[in-house]
Every structure is written in structure tokens, then in C-alpha cells.
Amino acid sequence: MAGRFAPRPTRTTVRGGDTPGTTGPVLTPGTTTDLGLVPGTTTDLGLVPGTTTDPVLVPGITTDPGLLPGTTTDLGLTLGPLRRGPADPTFRVAPDGSVWRASRTPDGPGTLRIGAGKAEAWGPGGDWLLERLPALLGAEDDPTAFVPRHKLLLATHRRRPGLRLTRTGLVLESLIPSILEQKVTTHEAYGSWRALVRKFGEPAPGPAPEGMYVMPEARTWTRIPSWEWHRANVDGKRSATIVRAARVAARLEEAALMDPPAARKRLELVPGIGPWTSAETVQRSNGAPDEVTTGDLHLPGIVGWALAGDRTADDEAMLELLAPYAGQRHRAARLILLSGRVPPRRAPRRTPGDIRAL
């Protein structure tokens, strides 16, 4: 009965942005301010988040996916890369399919809920989050610039028409989890992120789901004692990199307004941040369609296998295979991950490390 049911997410497709549970709302960046709630509704951004339960309407968003085939935004695919594991305290998918995010903005902590046709925000950073909601949902992304040149990518592109590249405009919230993921399993990194955010962050403002937290502010990251890093299963090298980055957080946040190559160059000035970490960060903070991740343990082999049947491909071979997609290489890599085409496993998975008992 192949094709009768939607394929279940795998580790690879989840890395590509596949987010289970977001089956309800479908948002579409466009040019209309009518959200389909009430005919003729106008956009009112004068409501103060946290002081009313009425939805704040979002310019440029419509919920009618049938207007322009192939232009709808898939909420799960677009925001999925921002989730650091199924129990991420800053990201939650509600039973109704809506997405909750807790972020630390330049104006302070804020909680954002994106549902079917409306968005609501709470906290000091609520207005900031609503202002940048269209960019978060991919309004600045141009999927028409991508031209599939392989059958696999053509098929995946057609199956995933709602993929948009998000742009958060926030650097540190993507940089710190990426540093935690350096040279460890995602199981370890996600556990460390959860432990640190829950202990040193603050509860998400507003009626957020239970257990949601806003990540600590930059100054707090610099004051975490060494034994707390150890208890969170973070070694000295990664913790020192996070502290160095947090000390220059203001300068790093400026990278969100730069073009992606300049942004990566700015991030890599911090010792301990290399091409892998800068790419993983800028892909999210800047919505960079061409910043492909290099230095990854699995990605070259996945790309090589999917496009050329070569599971031994290295970074050089991967970049050569992605050369026809210049300007859209990150999108091409995302589509390859979402295809689920991976080489057969030949060895057990790497055993997660745990330094907490040392």
C-alpha cells in the first residue's frame, strides 16, 4: 500500500525540518492582509501583546492554501530547524497544530504562538516578534529561484512545496545550540540545551504551555559555573566557546543584518567557532539559501549517496555535486535530507557520551 499513508519522519528528515504534529495551520506569505478570519478585516498592529486575548493580525499572511498552488508555507518544515529536539523548552507544537516559540529578543523575552490565520505574542519582546513574523515564516525567501537538476530533488521539491527558509533575526539563540552540537551526538546536545535553558533561563511569558522557557540572556551564559556545565554534560571546550561568544553577543547579533558570507566571517572571529557552526547559525538567523554546512560527519555521505550513489563523499565532493545549485545549495541540501534517501547503515550508531559521572 505504498503511498497510501504519509511517510513517518526519520532522523534524516527531521534534520531537514520535518516536524511531527504541525498538520493544522498552513500559512502563506503574500501581499494581502486579510487572514480569512473576517472578510475585509484590516491589519491592526496596535494591540499590545499580553494585554488582550484577541489575535494580532499579521501583514503579508493568508491562510488560504488553495489560491496559488505551490506557494503555501508549511509551518512545520519552515520552523522545524529551530527546534532542538522533541523536548526543546523553547519550542512546542500544540495538539491543535499551532507552534509556540519562546525567544529572547533585543526588547526582552517574548512568547509567540502561530496558529491558523493568526499570531499572538506576549512579553516585552512580543512586538518585536510580531514585527518580524513574516520573515520568520519565509516571506523574504524566494523558492522560485531553485531549479531542480536531479530527479530526486525534483520529486522532493514537488512533495514539499511549503518549504521556506526561515529568518529569525536572532544570532545567539541559534549559535549557542549549534556550539553545543559540536562533535557530539544530537542526543547529548539536546539534553545539554534542555538542562541549561531550564536551569538558567526564565519561564516563557504569557499563557505558554507548561515547561516552556526563554533562553538565558548573554550575561547569564558568562556566569554559569564550571560545575554546572559539567552537570549539563558540556565539556570545557564547548562551554568556553559559548562564554566567549556571549561576551561579545552585541557584536555577534549585528551579523543578523549582514549578508551571509560577512555574517559567517564575523562569527568565525570567535575562537571555537568554525565553518560548521557559522553555517548552522546563519542558515537560521539570516535565512541564507546558499550557506551549505561543511565539516559535518554525515551530510557529505548523504548528499553523495543521494546524487551520485557515493557514500564516501567528502566536503569537496559534496560541494562539487551541489555546484549546479549555486545560490541555493542550502535549500538543495535540505531537500535531500527531506527525501529520506540515505545510505544503508553499516555500523551501530555512535554511543552518546556522558561526562556527568566523572
Side-chain angles (χ1 to χ4, degrees), residues 239-309:
S239 63
T241 301
I242 292 174
V243 170
R244 285 192 292 265
R247 285 174 177 163
V248 292
R251 295 286 286 166
L252 295 184
E253 290 294 347
E254 294 174 0
L257 302 176
M258 300 177 177
D259 61 274
R264 293 186 63 180
K265 187 175 181 181
R266 170 71 64 88
L267 296 181
E268 290 174 19
L269 291 175
V270 178
I273 297 178
W276 185 91
T277 306
S278 67
E280 290 287 314
T281 302
V282 170
Q283 288 165 6
R284 296 165 171 84
S285 63
N286 295 53
D290 195 47
E291 299 306 312
V292 64
T293 303
T294 55
D296 192 86
L297 179 62
H298 303 290
L299 187 60
I302 293 173
V303 172
W305 179 261
L307 299 185

Side-chain angles (χ1 to χ4, degrees), residues 6-315:
R8 295 180 60 184
T10 65
R11 289 173 181 261
T12 305
T13 62
V14 167
R15 181 178 177 183
D18 200 355
T19 308
T22 54
T23 57
V26 180
L27 306 180
T28 307
T31 57
T32 176
T33 56
D34 184 352
L35 302 193
L37 299 174
V38 180
T41 300
T42 58
T43 301
D44 181 2
L45 292 181
L47 300 177
V48 180
T51 62
T52 176
T53 57
D54 294 334
V56 177
L57 305 185
V58 185
I61 303 297
T62 177
T63 56
D64 189 349
L67 295 177
L68 297 174
T71 62
T72 59
T73 297
D74 186 304
L75 197 59
L77 290 181
T78 301
L79 301 182
L82 304 180
R83 187 181 74 154
R84 306 292 179 159
D88 185 350
T90 68
F91 190 106
R92 191 69 52 85
V93 179
D96 64 357
S98 61
V99 171
W100 292 77
R101 289 194 70 233
S103 298
R104 185 167 295 282
T105 74
D107 295 338
T111 302
L112 177 68
R113 177 189 178 274
I114 309 170
K118 64 181 180 180
E120 300 169 274
W122 299 265
D127 286 330
W128 192 96
L129 291 170
L130 288 172
E131 254 180 60
R132 289 154 181 79
L133 180 58
L136 183 72
L137 297 177
E140 298 179 5
D141 182 33
D142 180 17
T144 62
F146 179 77
V147 180
R149 301 183 184 277
H150 294 83
K151 289 182 178 180
L152 176 66
L153 289 179
L154 176 61
T156 308
H157 190 49
R158 287 176 174 173
R159 285 199 305 268
R160 308 282 191 166
L163 173 63
R164 297 291 181 274
L165 301 184
T166 185
R167 180 173 187 173
T168 66
L170 297 169
V171 173
L172 213 62
E173 76 166 21
S174 293
L175 176 62
I176 290 177
S178 296
I179 294 172
L180 290 174
E181 292 174 12
Q182 291 177 350
K183 298 184 178 181
V184 298
T185 64
T186 55
H187 176 80
E188 297 168 72
Y190 293 161
S192 299
W193 173 248
R194 288 195 302 269
L196 292 167
V197 171
R198 287 171 178 169
K199 183 153 192 175
F200 297 100
E202 58 186 279
E210 185 179 358
M212 286 199 72
Y213 286 81
V214 178
M215 65 170 264
E217 59 183 356
R219 190 175 183 182
T220 303
W221 287 108
T222 66
R223 295 184 169 187
I224 296 178
S226 60
W227 57 87
E228 293 293 353
W229 291 108
H230 191 89
R231 287 173 179 170
N233 200 26
V234 182
D235 58 71
K237 184 176 181 180
R238 287 180 292 151
S239 63
T241 301
I242 292 174
V243 170
R244 285 192 292 265
R247 285 174 177 163
V248 292
R251 295 286 286 166
L252 295 184
E253 290 294 347
E254 294 174 0
L257 302 176
M258 300 177 177
D259 61 274
R264 293 186 63 180
K265 187 175 181 181
R266 170 71 64 88
L267 296 181
E268 290 174 19
L269 291 175
V270 178
I273 297 178
W276 185 91
T277 306
S278 67
E280 290 287 314
T281 302
V282 170
Q283 288 165 6
R284 296 165 171 84
S285 63
N286 295 53
D290 195 47
E291 299 306 312
V292 64
T293 303
T294 55
D296 192 86
L297 179 62
H298 303 290
L299 187 60
I302 293 173
V303 172
W305 179 261
L307 299 185
D310 180 13
R311 65 183 301 150
T312 64
D314 55 12
D315 281 341

